[in-house]
Amino acid sequence: MSQDIHSEKILILDFGSQYTQLIARRVREAHVYCELHPFDMDLAEIKAFGAKGIILSGGPKSVYEEDAPAIAEELFELGIPVLGICYGMQLMSRHFGGEVVPAGKREFGHAELLAQGTPGPLFDSFFVEGKSPVWMSHGDHVEKVPAGFEVIAGTDNAPVCGIQNVDRNLYGVQFHPEVNHTPRGEILIDTFVRKICGCSGQWTPGQIIEDAVSRIREQVGSDQVILGLSGGVDSSVAAALIQRAIGDQLTCVFVDNGLLRLGEGDQVMATFGENMGVKVIRVNAEDRFLEGLAGEADPEKKRKVIGGLFVDIFEEESNKLTDAKWLAQGTIYPDVIESAGAKTGKAHNIKSHHNVGGLPDYMKLELLEPLRELFKDEVRAIGEELGLPHAMVWRHPFPGPGLGVRILGEVKKEYADILRHADAIYIEELYRTGHYDKISQAFAVFLPVKSVGVMGDGRTYEYVVALRAVETKDFMTAGWYPMPYDVLAHISSRIINEVKGINRVTYDISSKPPATIEWE
């Protein structure tokens, strides 16, 4: 019997920081399981959770405000190590009699953290020659340190940036160790979860697979399972994982909506049907999707049309598989967190999500979601461990509605065919020039406007495509990728020469925020 990979876990209480998911990812990178929960989690639930350690996130409020988020007072008396980050540190300080006040100078961005005295267990491996660059984001600071705590780090603007009470196993940092802008931040979080909390690091790809296979077999038994296969990373890894667990009890339904990338439908069938022996039913539904989208220009309505048609077609196919009792989905942990946030009002719902929303009541199938505890990077890691092709596992993200939201405005077959061809040339050149793996996400966007051009001796009046490429660690913020001019020139030349209907190519140099990564 394999060991319980959930037996060692960290509880992260979320006070509304934009970086909270990053804390969880850093804990997982230390090979320790963790979960995110709202700051107001009941004390009885906290006790029942059985955490080896607790992390309090940052947040936008001030601890001295009347409606400031608070936690159960007894949390600090449980004998469990606690790490407070930014707001979390201020909350801890105030709880124990310290004083938190508005900072005379707000601190946002890079700062140099300096050690004060003996670093203590949390900072034991963090500093290099007594200092380390960190990322700050705060308007308040701890003015008076509570009794029993000592200051172990500070900056010129904020003298109290690291505190500890070793006897109680309580630690606080004013900066954000979870973000990429704090270069040695992962060392600090690893130190907390592995050394201070005593976790051994059981959360590894091999053990995640072993645990998932065991749980799938226990859940499903001898029942039949169907899965909607899109060709994306999540559904592909879910299919490979379930196939390993129950073999031919799995049937995949691949709905080709006519909004996929060039040749993608054939690639999906070759990878899963021919190479992996997975049963895949392909439904060619391009005409139905284009008909449903005719005349619709609103992006959110397009998403709903595409999602609704997928459910309808999937239901039609599942009705033919009368033995199926389970529906498998590639839902991952960020989907779960974001959907929960939208329901509780603690996060903004930017756009509807294609994975989380449940099934219509009339679809009498149990839900199987073997990836719902995993972040995207963890999904990729177990995909490689399962033997999926590297190019499939590390493919850039592709939206659930496909090209339907990369064609601005109304979707037409002509537009989809033009965009497919242009996008394929773009990606091919990124691979050829070695840029693809340096970019987090790259794609072409079809603009339904025409511009004047000249080809040969004739005047043209044809469409425009925009190329997008971004760099990001977490997809919450992103910067545009500085593509070399010669590479852009060659890509533009190829698209204009090889794609009939395009006479102008632009390059998007917007960052997120204020723009989003996708255009719709």
Side-chain angles (χ1 to χ4, degrees):
M1 182 69 180
S2 63
Q3 60 185 315
D4 180 5
I5 59 174
H6 300 86
S7 62
E8 296 182 341
K9 51 193 174 184
I10 300 295
L11 172 62
I12 302 166
L13 295 180
D14 181 13
F15 289 88
S17 168
Q18 61 181 315
Y19 304 133
T20 305
Q21 282 195 35
L22 294 183
I23 301 173
R25 289 182 62 189
R26 297 294 171 259
V27 173
R28 298 284 186 89
E29 286 168 7
H31 303 302
V32 176
Y33 179 69
C34 64
E35 288 184 15
L36 290 173
H37 287 273
F39 66 86
D40 55 1
M41 186 178 184
D42 185 75
L43 184 67
E45 291 180 304
I46 292 174
K47 289 178 179 178
F49 184 81
K52 299 271 284 185
I54 298 173
I55 298 178
L56 311 177
S57 84
K61 292 278 192 177
S62 295
V63 293
Y64 46 77
E65 292 177 6
E66 282 189 19
D67 61 344
I71 52 175
E73 296 286 311
E74 298 89 342
L75 180 142
F76 294 113
E77 312 303 324
L78 295 177
I80 301 170
V82 179
L83 170 63
I85 295 175
C86 199
Y87 183 93
M89 176 181 119
Q90 295 166 10
L91 192 71
M92 181 188 296
S93 297
R94 201 159 192 258
H95 172 81
F96 286 101
E99 188 178 349
V100 178
V101 299
K105 180 179 179 183
R106 289 174 58 86
E107 199 165 21
F108 183 86
H110 293 284
E112 185 172 70
L113 188 72
L114 302 174
Q116 296 188 18
T118 305
L122 183 64
F123 285 95
D124 190 39
S125 303
F126 184 73
F127 291 111
V128 176
E129 297 180 351
K131 58 188 178 182
S132 186
V134 296
W135 182 259
M136 293 289 197
S137 179
H138 66 98
D140 299 326
H141 68 227
V142 176
E143 178 84 0
K144 175 187 171 187
V145 180
F149 285 76
E150 59 181 319
V151 180
I152 46 177
T155 69
D156 289 341
N157 289 327
V160 182
C161 279
I163 61 172
Q164 66 180 11
N165 183 324
V166 178
D167 292 338
R168 285 176 170 266
N169 251 339
L170 302 177
Y171 302 86
V173 294
Q174 182 61 68
F175 59 94
H176 288 274
E178 69 272 28
V179 302
N180 192 53
H181 299 305
T182 299
R184 296 175 63 79
E186 75 279 359
I187 295 174
L188 187 141
I189 291 176
D190 186 277
T191 299
F192 178 72
V193 300
R194 298 291 289 270
K195 293 183 180 177
I196 294 173
C197 299
C199 297
S200 60
Q202 301 170 2
W203 191 255
T204 62
Q207 293 191 63
I208 293 169
I209 291 170
E210 188 179 340
D211 178 77
V213 165
S214 175
R215 286 199 282 168
I216 292 166
R217 287 173 179 164
E218 186 178 342
Q219 262 187 289
V220 171
S222 58
D223 295 341
Q224 296 290 314
V225 178
I226 56 174
L227 180 145
L229 186 62
S230 69
V233 175
D234 302 336
S235 70
S236 297
V237 173
L241 189 57
I242 297 168
Q243 165 80 359
R244 174 169 290 194
I246 59 172
D248 61 7
Q249 290 170 241
L250 171 68
T251 300
C252 294
V253 177
F254 171 50
V255 179
D256 188 340
N257 58 14
L259 302 171
L260 301 174
R261 291 165 282 201
L262 190 67
E264 187 165 16
D266 294 337
Q267 290 170 10
V268 169
M269 296 304 293
T271 298
F272 288 93
E274 298 167 24
N275 297 337
M276 294 179 61
V278 178
K279 288 188 291 186
V280 184
I281 297 169
R282 182 174 185 173
V283 184
N284 293 309
E286 179 183 46
D287 291 345
R288 285 182 66 176
F289 278 88
L290 290 175
E291 183 181 340
L293 289 165
E296 187 54 73
D298 180 81
E300 187 64 11
K301 289 180 181 176
K302 288 194 294 182
R303 287 178 182 274
K304 288 179 178 174
V305 166
I306 294 167
L309 277 171
F310 176 83
V311 170
D312 290 345
I313 294 167
F314 194 86
E315 184 195 3
E316 291 165 14
E317 294 303 318
S318 67
N319 286 339
K320 299 173 187 176
L321 303 168
T322 55
D323 294 336
K325 293 185 180 177
W326 295 84
L327 171 67
Q329 287 194 149
T331 307
I332 63 174
Y333 196 41
D335 303 339
V336 177
I337 296 167
E338 287 159 16
S339 293
K343 289 172 187 171
T344 60
K346 291 177 181 174
H348 290 291
N349 191 17
I350 305 300
K351 56 192 177 187
S352 59
H353 201 281
H354 63 282
N355 267 348
V356 181
L359 298 171
D361 292 337
Y362 53 80
M363 286 186 74
K364 304 299 182 184
L365 294 170
E366 297 286 337
L367 205 53
L368 180 65
E369 298 175 312
L371 309 179
R372 68 179 286 117
E373 292 181 338
L374 305 178
F375 286 99
K376 179 72 82 174
D377 49 346
E378 295 173 310
V379 173
R380 294 188 196 278
I382 69 168
E384 287 208 301
E385 188 96 359
L386 288 164
L388 287 174
H390 179 85
M392 174 178 279
V393 171
W394 291 98
R395 202 173 202 182
H396 292 172
F398 189 62
L403 301 183
V405 290
R406 289 181 177 173
I407 296 167
L408 301 196
E410 184 181 5
V411 177
K412 297 180 180 179
K413 179 171 171 52
E414 175 198 4
Y415 299 169
D417 289 339
I418 289 173
L419 180 57
R420 244 189 295 275
H421 194 177
D423 188 75
I425 290 170
Y426 182 30
I427 300 303
E428 179 186 318
E429 286 299 322
L430 293 182
Y431 271 118
R432 187 185 67 80
T433 56
H435 288 279
Y436 187 86
D437 288 333
K438 300 175 184 176
I439 295 168
S440 304
Q441 190 170 0
F443 54 91
V445 178
F446 179 87
L447 309 184
V449 293
K450 289 187 173 183
S451 70
V452 175
V454 178
M455 289 187 180
D457 294 322
R459 176 183 181 275
T460 63
Y461 191 55
E462 293 178 334
Y463 294 108
V464 181
V465 292
L467 306 180
R468 180 76 157 138
V470 298
E471 295 177 295
T472 178
K473 291 289 182 183
D474 50 41
F475 289 90
M476 297 173 191
T477 61
W480 61 276
Y481 182 74
M483 194 83 69
Y485 293 158
D486 59 334
V487 175
L488 277 176
H490 184 66
I491 292 168
S492 174
S493 176
R494 278 199 62 191
I495 289 174
I496 290 170
N497 284 313
E498 297 175 35
V499 184
K500 187 174 181 181
I502 296 293
N503 70 355
R504 192 176 298 272
V505 175
T506 68
Y507 190 59
D508 182 351
I509 58 168
S510 311
S511 294
K512 176 187 179 182
T516 54
I517 295 175
E518 296 282 350
W519 279 42
E520 285 194 344

